[in-house]
Amino acid sequence: MDDNRRNNSSQMAELLQPEILHKGNECTSLVACSPSSSEPPSSSASSSSKPPYSSEPSSSRPPYSSEPHSSSEPHSSSAPSSSKPHSSSEPYSSKPPYSSETPSSSAHHSSSSAPSGNGERDVRSRRVEGDEAGRTQREDGASSCCPLNDLKRLPQCDKRLGPLKFSPTHTILIDVAAFNNGKGPLPQRGRDMWHSNFVKSPCSPSSFMIKTGLMKSPTQTWRWDVISKQLSALAKKTAASVDDVKDAIIKYNPKYKSQWSFDALSSFVKVIPKEENNFSKLFSKIAALALKLPELLQKGIPLLRTGHPASITLSQAQISCLLANAFFCTFPHRNATHHSAEYHNYPSINFTSLFGQWSQRKKEKLRAIMYYFQVVTDENTKPKGLVTFERRCLQERDQTASEWRNCQEKPPKLHVTTRGTIETEGTGLLQVDFACSSIGGGVLGSGLVQEEILFLMNPELIVSRLFTEKLADNECLIVTGCQQFSLYSGYGETFEWAGPYEDRLDRDEWARLKRQILAIDAVNYKHRREQYNMHRVMRELNKAYCGFKDHGHNEPDIATGKWGCGAFNGDPQLKAVIQLMAAARAKRGLAFFTFDDDKLKQGLQQTHHLLVTQGTTVAKLFGLLEDYCAVQQASSGSHVELFEFIGNAVRPSRSQL
C-alpha cells in the first residue's frame, strides 16, 4: 500500500474495514477461530517435572494465625490467581512470621504431596487444562506457542562474567580485590561526595542542620551527630514504641513536626496480635542497622542520571542499611517535592508517606516491610550477596521508524498463560516491572498494583529510588540479584501479605541471585483513544525494545503481561503486539501472563500462530500498526480490535486456498 493511501485516514477507514478487506470474500474474526492452547500440564502436578531453578516458599500457615496449621496443608488458593503464589509453592512453616526463627529448608516438602481442599481443586483443574491443551494441539495443530519450560532462563544461560571489576560506567561499593579473593563483600574505602551527581548521605561531613532551642539561638550542627544520638538511644532500648520512633525522626526533621503523621505505623502495631508482635524489639534492631551507615558505605553513591547509562553494585548488607536509614527518614534534601527542589526528578526514599494515613493497604505493606527487616537484622539470616542496578539508554539510531520498517525478524518463541504470576512462574526469566517513570511508583504511599507489589515482595528494589532519576522515553532500569522475601495474594484492595518466602535461586559469579527485573514505564493515557497514534506506538515500541535488547549474548527470555493496561488505560492487544515486536527484534522469547484474561490468551495464541505460519516480519507488522492507527483515528466511536484487524489483513483469502 502506498504512503499516500496509508496517511489518508478517511480512505483507510473505507478501504480497511474488516468486511471488505478481501474484496468481498467471506472472512471470520480471528478471535472466533477454534481455540488452541500450548500450555503444558502444570509443573505442580509432579515434583519430577519441576525445573531445578524454581524457588520454593517456606511457610505453611496463614500469617498472624494463633493456631499452627498442619505441615501438609497448602497455602490457600482462594486468592485471585492473578496474584496468588503458584500451586507448586511449598507449604509454609508454622513459625510466627515475626519470630526470631526463620524458615529452614526442612520446612519444604515434595510438591507431589497430596494437596487438600481448594489447593487440590486448583492442581486438578490445572492438570485438566494442561491435558485439554495437549489434545487440542495434537488434534488441530493450530498452536505455534511453546511450553513455559522451553524458554531460556538465567540458570541455563551459563554466561561467564569473569572477575568483578570497576569500569568507567560501573561503580562498585564493595572491596573488589577482597571479594575476588574470596573474602566476601567488604565495604570499599573511598570518600564522601557532597555533590549534585551523588547521593547526599546523612553521615556526610558536609551535612548540617540548624538546631534551635527555647533558651538558645539557632546553631549549625553536624546532622549525623543528631541522628546517631537519637538512633543510639533507640537501639539500646529493650522495647521501643512508635512514639519513640516518631520522636527520634522529628528531632532531625524538625520542620516537618506538624506535617508528618505516624498514625498508620501506630495503628499497624496495635492491630497485630501481641503473641506475634515483636516490633518493639525490631524497631531497636532497625535503628542499630541504620547506625552502621558510616561503616558499610564509605564511598559516595553516584546517581543514575537521565541520559547516562551506568551501573551500581552494592552488597545486600549495604542495601539493608540504606533502607534502615530510609525507614528512619535520615536522608537529607529528599523530603521536598516541589519543582524547584533539588531532587524533584527523583522518587521519594524516606518512609514518611508510608507511616501516615492508615488504611488496610498500609497495614499489608508494613507487614511485608517489617518481615524484610526481621530477616536482615538477624545475624543468622541476613543475606550476603550482591545486587546490580543498571540504567540503560537506547541509542538514537535504534529509535527511528526506518529501523522498525526494515526489521525482517519473525515472531519470537511465545508462551501464553492465564495461570500463575510473573513472580512465581517467571523466575529465571527477565521479569518485566510495569513501572512508573519514577521507579517504584506508589510503593511508599497507597499504590498497590503490579510494580508496588513487586517492590514489596523484593524490598531491595526500593533502594533504587535513592539514586535513580526518572526514566526518559528511551531508558530502562535492570536490577540483577535482588531477593524475594515474601509471598502475597490479591491485588489492589484485596492485596494481602501471605507469609515468608525462602529464595533458593543459585547465585552467579558475582554472588548475585539469578533473578533479573526490568523496569519499563508505559504511557499513561487519560483517554484510551490517545494510544492509537503512531507517535505513541513508536514510544512504546522503543521503550520495550530498550529493555528487551540483548546487551551481550546468551540472555534469558522475557516474562511479561498486560503492561500499562490497568490504571494507564493501555489496550491489552496493542501492548501484546508491541511487546511481541520488541522481543522479535531483540531475538528473545516471551512468556506472556494474561492474569486470568482468557480472551486475550486465546487471541494472542491465534494471532501468533497466524503470524508464524504466514512468515510475518516485524516490518510487516509495523505497517499494519500504521494502517490500524489510521482506521482508529478515522472511526467515530467504533472500535476495531487489533487481533481481528491483523487476522483479516494477514490471513489468506479463501480464493487463494
mmCIF file of all heavy atoms in Angstrom, residues 59 87 89 115 171 187 271 289 293 319 336 456 516 544:
data_model
loop_
_atom_site.group_PDB
_atom_site.id
_atom_site.type_symbol
_atom_site.label_atom_id
_atom_site.label_comp_id
_atom_site.label_asym_id
_atom_site.label_seq_id
_atom_site.Cartn_x
_atom_site.Cartn_y
_atom_site.Cartn_z
ATOM 1 N N SER A 59 6.488 -21.216 54.184
ATOM 2 C CA SER A 59 5.646 -21.141 55.358
ATOM 3 C C SER A 59 4.334 -21.824 55.100
ATOM 4 O O SER A 59 3.783 -21.724 54.039
ATOM 5 C CB SER A 59 5.386 -19.675 55.737
ATOM 6 O OG SER A 59 4.375 -19.599 56.684
ATOM 7 N N SER A 87 0.849 -22.928 42.318
ATOM 8 C CA SER A 87 0.497 -24.102 43.117
ATOM 9 C C SER A 87 1.667 -25.007 43.405
ATOM 10 O O SER A 87 1.568 -25.919 44.201
ATOM 11 C CB SER A 87 -0.595 -24.903 42.399
ATOM 12 O OG SER A 87 -0.118 -25.372 41.156
ATOM 13 N N SER A 89 4.159 -23.978 44.872
ATOM 14 C CA SER A 89 4.772 -23.427 46.082
ATOM 15 C C SER A 89 4.702 -24.433 47.208
ATOM 16 O O SER A 89 3.701 -25.090 47.415
ATOM 17 C CB SER A 89 4.038 -22.146 46.501
ATOM 18 O OG SER A 89 4.159 -21.171 45.507
ATOM 19 N N PRO A 115 -2.324 -32.673 47.893
ATOM 20 C CA PRO A 115 -2.915 -31.480 48.469
ATOM 21 C C PRO A 115 -4.340 -31.734 48.906
ATOM 22 O O PRO A 115 -4.922 -32.757 48.599
ATOM 23 C CB PRO A 115 -2.857 -30.471 47.321
ATOM 24 C CG PRO A 115 -2.909 -31.303 46.090
ATOM 25 C CD PRO A 115 -2.278 -32.623 46.447
ATOM 26 N N THR A 171 30.051 1.518 39.010
ATOM 27 C CA THR A 171 30.530 1.825 40.357
ATOM 28 C C THR A 171 30.253 0.634 41.263
ATOM 29 O O THR A 171 29.114 0.148 41.324
ATOM 30 C CB THR A 171 29.828 3.067 40.920
ATOM 31 O OG1 THR A 171 30.132 4.192 40.087
ATOM 32 C CG2 THR A 171 30.285 3.354 42.344
ATOM 33 N N PRO A 187 33.175 -3.480 52.669
ATOM 34 C CA PRO A 187 32.968 -2.135 52.118
ATOM 35 C C PRO A 187 34.191 -1.620 51.366
ATOM 36 O O PRO A 187 35.335 -1.869 51.763
ATOM 37 C CB PRO A 187 32.702 -1.275 53.366
ATOM 38 C CG PRO A 187 32.298 -2.239 54.428
ATOM 39 C CD PRO A 187 33.033 -3.508 54.144
ATOM 40 N N VAL A 271 -2.866 -3.458 65.725
ATOM 41 C CA VAL A 271 -3.763 -4.494 65.195
ATOM 42 C C VAL A 271 -3.096 -5.857 65.066
ATOM 43 O O VAL A 271 -3.787 -6.865 64.922
ATOM 44 C CB VAL A 271 -4.347 -4.088 63.826
ATOM 45 C CG1 VAL A 271 -5.165 -2.818 63.940
ATOM 46 C CG2 VAL A 271 -3.264 -3.947 62.765
ATOM 47 N N LEU A 289 20.908 -1.094 62.820
ATOM 48 C CA LEU A 289 21.341 -1.315 61.440
ATOM 49 C C LEU A 289 21.595 0.014 60.735
ATOM 50 O O LEU A 289 22.599 0.178 60.028
ATOM 51 C CB LEU A 289 20.280 -2.126 60.689
ATOM 52 C CG LEU A 289 20.524 -2.394 59.202
ATOM 53 C CD1 LEU A 289 21.843 -3.131 58.984
ATOM 54 C CD2 LEU A 289 19.350 -3.205 58.611
ATOM 55 N N LEU A 293 25.778 2.914 58.863
ATOM 56 C CA LEU A 293 25.986 3.570 57.576
ATOM 57 C C LEU A 293 27.426 4.034 57.349
ATOM 58 O O LEU A 293 28.006 3.755 56.288
ATOM 59 C CB LEU A 293 25.010 4.742 57.424
ATOM 60 C CG LEU A 293 24.978 5.428 56.055
ATOM 61 C CD1 LEU A 293 24.547 4.458 54.963
ATOM 62 C CD2 LEU A 293 24.045 6.641 56.085
ATOM 63 N N ILE A 319 22.529 -2.480 51.160
ATOM 64 C CA ILE A 319 21.147 -2.117 50.806
ATOM 65 C C ILE A 319 20.276 -2.099 52.051
ATOM 66 O O ILE A 319 19.472 -1.177 52.259
ATOM 67 C CB ILE A 319 20.589 -3.093 49.757
ATOM 68 C CG1 ILE A 319 21.314 -2.899 48.419
ATOM 69 C CG2 ILE A 319 19.084 -2.899 49.580
ATOM 70 C CD1 ILE A 319 20.965 -3.933 47.365
ATOM 71 N N ALA A 336 11.363 17.402 50.157
ATOM 72 C CA ALA A 336 10.645 18.407 49.365
ATOM 73 C C ALA A 336 10.329 17.832 47.984
ATOM 74 O O ALA A 336 11.151 17.136 47.380
ATOM 75 C CB ALA A 336 11.480 19.671 49.226
ATOM 76 N N LEU A 456 7.359 -4.731 47.067
ATOM 77 C CA LEU A 456 7.110 -5.202 48.434
ATOM 78 C C LEU A 456 7.585 -6.637 48.633
ATOM 79 O O LEU A 456 8.058 -7.000 49.713
ATOM 80 C CB LEU A 456 5.618 -5.102 48.757
ATOM 81 C CG LEU A 456 5.070 -3.677 48.886
ATOM 82 C CD1 LEU A 456 3.545 -3.701 48.920
ATOM 83 C CD2 LEU A 456 5.622 -2.981 50.122
ATOM 84 N N GLN A 516 16.541 -11.362 37.355
ATOM 85 C CA GLN A 516 16.642 -10.051 36.720
ATOM 86 C C GLN A 516 15.257 -9.432 36.608
ATOM 87 O O GLN A 516 14.309 -10.095 36.180
ATOM 88 C CB GLN A 516 17.260 -10.154 35.317
ATOM 89 C CG GLN A 516 18.765 -10.241 35.311
ATOM 90 C CD GLN A 516 19.343 -10.011 33.915
ATOM 91 O OE1 GLN A 516 18.729 -10.321 32.904
ATOM 92 N NE2 GLN A 516 20.546 -9.473 33.868
ATOM 93 N N ALA A 544 9.976 -0.685 25.073
ATOM 94 C CA ALA A 544 10.066 -2.135 25.266
ATOM 95 C C ALA A 544 11.375 -2.672 24.690
ATOM 96 O O ALA A 544 12.050 -3.501 25.319
ATOM 97 C CB ALA A 544 8.868 -2.828 24.616
#
